[in-house]
Amino acid sequence: MRTDTSPGALPARAPLALVPGEPVLDVVIPVFNEEKDLGPCVRRLHEHLTRTFPYPFRITVADNASTDRTPEVAHGLASVLDGVRSTRLEEKGRGRALRQVWSASDAPVLAYMDVDLSTDLNALLPLVAPLISGHSDLAIGTRLARSSRVVRGAKREFISRAYNLLLRSSLAARFSDAQCGFKAIRHEVAERLLPLVEDTGWFFDTELLVLAERAGLRIHEVPVDWVDDPDSTVHIVRTATEDLKGVWRVGRALAVGALPLDRLARPFGDDPRDRSALPEVEGGLARQLLGFCAVGALSTVLYLLLYSAFRAGTGPQFANGAALLLSAIANTAANRRLTFGVRGRDRALRHQAQGLVVFGIGLALTSGSLAALGAATAAPAHSTELAVLITANLAATVLRFLLFRAWVFPERRDTPVNVKDDIR
């Protein structure tokens, strides 16, 4: 992770000091080989801002090493439309383009949107207004709020929701939609936050938001109307793989305290909720991970002892199911009290029922592994069975923690922080 030095701590939030004639908003459109869509996109955005935005603005086309006529189209648009400019990068990467353009911009509010304009532009002013007024530090469009209107296929819907569930479970993220290509940030926040963001591709957005949230910055969410672009060139599998690597890298850096996020903290008294929420997020996650690992280790020992005892008189499948069921009940009870700090009888039966659902997933993984072993070897050795079961249980353990944290024992807050609470 980057540990570059950056300017001092952020000042208290305040409305922007507008300079007559200077752009208040700089909207960046990162593009790669978009010669067909770039012209209509920029013209439509320019017309919308001219008609609805009450302050001076700029549109910046950031060409990511395109090999078609995109640079010529961008240059032509800049020559005929007031407030439009273009810049060329010789390396690909949406994050790289945003970092370079935002770092060089003189506008107090920086934004970006995808060239396909999948997001309804009527959400643009509500997106940036809290940044102009001094209410918020960053703003994102969300397709996952109840009031959002989204048209897209079931596959992309599932991937998006699964990814955001992963972020909530693994990185304790509280924002609802990391991947919507519709975001804005105040200039002084970007100036301090960008040096800490390492990714140069699609994970850039997620990393930016996670670090901002961990630093106690305020993220405003705007429900959007969004229509999927059927001609999108995003490679889902490759992007998902890079995102998972990014989640692991950021999670590890946060766990070991490798990021100087205290530089981003607002002065005490700016908003006490921002400063009080941060220790709970970091401390709670670290404590839960330690507690879950300790309970998991003991549960694994219990499971193996039970399996060996049952295996002496029954077949492997029955022994596995019985051992896993008993250890799962004990595991849920221990995690309920020790890991997630839930005490009393309130919802205890519900928690056990949900824990049994998680148990069912673990049973499917371990039973499937045993079945595969039986199909490959007629009479596998007992040590081989144990090795296969341990491997399957490791995979089940990771999934169990994510489900426990996000579903069985979700964090309960009395004061909602963001619009995202509406989607629960």
Side-chain angles (χ1 to χ4, degrees), residues 118-177:
S118 295
T119 304
D120 185 1
L121 292 178
N122 287 323
L124 183 55
L125 184 56
L127 182 80
V128 301
L131 308 187
I132 295 174
S133 69
H135 174 273
S136 300
D137 299 297
L138 300 90
I140 65 174
T142 176
R143 299 161 295 182
L144 302 181
R146 287 180 179 175
S147 56
S148 299
R149 298 175 181 175
V150 177
V151 178
R152 61 176 166 181
K155 180 179 179 181
R156 284 182 175 268
E157 180 75 10
F158 173 79
I159 292 173
S160 178
R161 290 188 178 274
Y163 179 64
N164 284 285
L165 175 61
L166 172 65
L167 293 180
R168 287 191 175 209
S169 303
S170 59
L171 298 179
R174 300 185 180 187
F175 49 85
S176 67
D177 192 350

Side-chain angles (χ1 to χ4, degrees), residues 302-354:
L302 175 63
Y303 164 78
L304 292 175
L305 291 174
L306 290 173
Y307 177 81
S308 297
F310 290 141
R311 185 66 178 89
T314 62
Q317 291 289 5
F318 179 84
N320 173 64
L324 195 57
L325 174 60
L326 294 176
S327 61
I329 293 174
N331 180 278
T332 300
N335 275 309
R336 182 177 188 268
R337 180 175 179 83
L338 302 178
T339 303
F340 298 98
V342 180
R343 290 172 171 78
R345 297 181 180 181
D346 183 38
R347 300 192 300 171
L349 291 179
R350 176 182 174 181
H351 290 157
Q352 279 294 347
Q354 291 173 306

Side-chain angles (χ1 to χ4, degrees), residues 338-406:
L338 302 178
T339 303
F340 298 98
V342 180
R343 290 172 171 78
R345 297 181 180 181
D346 183 38
R347 300 192 300 171
L349 291 179
R350 176 182 174 181
H351 290 157
Q352 279 294 347
Q354 291 173 306
L356 288 177
V357 174
V358 179
F359 150 76
I361 298 174
L363 179 62
L365 286 173
T366 53
S367 297
S369 300
L370 283 176
L373 178 63
T377 307
H382 182 63
S383 59
T384 304
E385 287 183 351
L386 290 180
V388 169
L389 288 173
I390 289 173
T391 303
N393 266 287
L394 287 175
T397 298
V398 175
L399 183 59
R400 187 181 303 121
F401 178 76
L402 298 180
L403 290 175
F404 271 4
R405 183 174 172 83

